[in-house]
Amino acid sequence: MVEKRVEELRPWGVNVPFIVLGLAYFLVGGLSLWKNPQDHGYLMMVGAYALYEGMIMRLFFPATKYFKLQALALISLAIPLPEAQALSSYALTLLELRALRDVKSYGSRFPVNALVLASPVLSSISWTAFVFFKDPTLLFPPLVSYVLGINIGVFTATLGSRPLFGWRQAPYLALASLSFLPPAFSAAVILYSARVLLTATNLRSTSTVVLVSFLVSGLEALFLNDFVHAFSLGLMLASFVNCIVYSTSRYAFNGVPHFLSVLLILASSLAWPFFKVVSFVLTGAALILFVYAIRHNLTLNALKYGMSEVYLREQMRSVQS
């Protein structure tokens, strides 16, 4: 009985197929700019949600005991129909509720990151609304809520900024929930970035470039009338690349490939309103560097054990010594 419970709690690389799916959607979405531009926004948003669902599962509910709900979320997300993405978000919400119930039954305690915990519920609401209204900005709130919440830990660790949990997140959660509106989006991103920068004790990190990208996205949404790409490049892509590299491949976080990847995303965000082809090329190069930085997390062993090949080799050497 004990062995069965241990096996059920064993983590696996649930994020790996989601990352592959997300990159595939980004590729198809990027190419759609030339052949089917009307599908571009939808395809890119599905790619973003693939990264989101994979990482929230890896960080908070990676256990094999949740495999059925994890598989349902993955398979339905892969189907290019908004109704399927809505089903995926429902599965993610059920998964979170079940995992939180299990954590409570184990007697565990952890800081309440309301921005992250609210994102699956917001995802269910957003995709349901998208099914009826087909407006891609309706899909922004869950991703804004998640990336602001999950990067609190990254910015605290890399910049020494003051952590923000519990009720102190309430203003940011309220703004994130309304971030389908450009003023609310800009307010959330600019105020959040300002707080991190003002409380930081070390700005010599790749994370500083990410915060600059956040600020640029907030300003672009206000003044350049390009809300969708300000969100997609300046906030969403920059933050996902940063937190994925930090959480899965920390040894590569301050390396040249990751730094260049984030720098190219910032440049792409700045270029998009004026030079769209240049922005497309820069984004493609950034994603290639991102894949290179996390390459050890995309293997069969990483899928099986839920950690990078680099860490697995270190563990093996430790056992042998």
Side-chain angles (χ1 to χ4, degrees):
M1 187 70 180
V2 173
E3 289 182 359
K4 181 180 179 182
R5 186 170 183 181
V6 169
E7 179 62 24
E8 286 181 339
L9 294 176
R10 183 179 66 82
W12 69 289
V14 62
N15 60 306
V16 176
F18 281 94
I19 290 176
V20 173
L21 177 64
L23 293 172
Y25 262 103
F26 285 158
L27 176 61
V28 175
L31 296 175
S32 72
L33 274 172
W34 282 270
K35 291 193 173 183
N36 303 99
Q38 70 277 6
D39 297 329
H40 174 70
Y42 166 71
L43 293 170
M44 299 302 281
M45 289 306 298
V46 177
Y49 269 86
L51 297 183
Y52 157 62
E53 291 195 11
M55 290 311 297
I56 194 172
M57 288 183 196
R58 179 193 182 273
L59 294 171
F60 295 98
F61 7 92
T64 55
K65 71 176 293 185
Y66 307 124
F67 181 78
K68 290 181 180 179
L69 281 173
Q70 292 166 341
L72 175 60
L74 175 64
I75 293 169
S76 54
L77 189 66
I79 301 170
L81 290 171
E83 293 81 1
Q85 278 80 59
L87 175 60
S88 179
S89 65
Y90 303 153
L92 180 65
T93 301
L94 288 173
L95 175 56
E96 179 185 51
L97 292 174
R98 185 179 172 192
L100 289 175
R101 182 196 64 189
D102 289 344
V103 168
K104 186 176 180 181
S105 69
Y106 301 150
S108 301
R109 298 174 68 92
F110 52 86
V112 176
N113 194 328
L115 285 163
V116 171
L117 295 178
S119 63
V121 176
L122 290 174
S123 177
S124 295
I125 296 170
S126 291
W127 275 108
T128 302
F130 182 80
V131 168
F132 293 101
F133 300 106
K134 301 296 188 291
D135 181 353
T137 63
L138 293 172
L139 301 174
F140 290 3
L143 298 179
V144 173
S145 184
Y146 176 77
V147 299
L148 295 185
I150 203 64
N151 275 290
I152 288 173
V154 179
F155 292 144
T156 299
T158 60
L159 301 177
S161 59
R162 190 181 307 153
L164 182 74
F165 294 111
W167 63 269
R168 292 182 178 86
Q169 292 185 354
Y172 300 97
L173 179 57
L175 289 170
S177 300
L178 296 172
S179 60
F180 56 89
L181 302 171
F185 168 79
S186 295
V189 173
I190 292 172
L191 290 174
Y192 177 93
S193 302
R195 183 190 184 280
V196 173
L197 288 170
L198 289 173
T199 62
T201 58
N202 170 35
L203 294 179
R204 297 179 63 185
S205 170
T206 303
S207 289
T208 304
V209 182
V210 175
L211 283 171
V212 173
S213 185
F214 280 17
L215 290 169
V216 167
S217 72
L219 294 172
E220 282 184 341
L222 278 180
F223 299 113
L224 295 183
N225 196 29
D226 194 8
F227 182 28
V228 173
H229 285 95
F231 161 82
S232 302
L233 293 172
L235 179 78
M236 182 273 295
L237 190 57
S239 59
F240 271 132
V241 165
N242 200 52
C243 69
I244 289 174
V245 171
Y246 183 80
S247 62
T248 66
S249 312
R250 201 161 302 173
Y251 48 84
F253 185 78
N254 283 317
V256 172
H258 175 51
F259 176 76
L260 287 178
S261 176
V262 173
L263 198 62
L264 287 173
I265 292 170
L266 172 59
S268 177
S269 179
L270 290 168
W272 178 265
F274 313 103
F275 309 103
K276 291 179 173 52
V277 174
V278 173
S279 178
F280 179 80
V281 173
L282 291 174
T283 303
L287 287 173
I288 291 171
L289 289 167
F290 164 63
V291 171
Y292 180 79
I294 65 166
R295 65 193 183 280
H296 298 298
N297 286 275
L298 301 177
T299 66
L300 290 177
N301 279 333
L303 177 66
K304 181 178 180 180
Y305 296 107
M307 67 172 66
S308 166
E309 287 270 7
V310 173
Y311 296 135
L312 288 171
R313 288 198 294 267
E314 288 178 355
Q315 285 194 357
M316 187 64 69
R317 285 196 295 267
S318 177
V319 169
Q320 291 175 347
S321 62

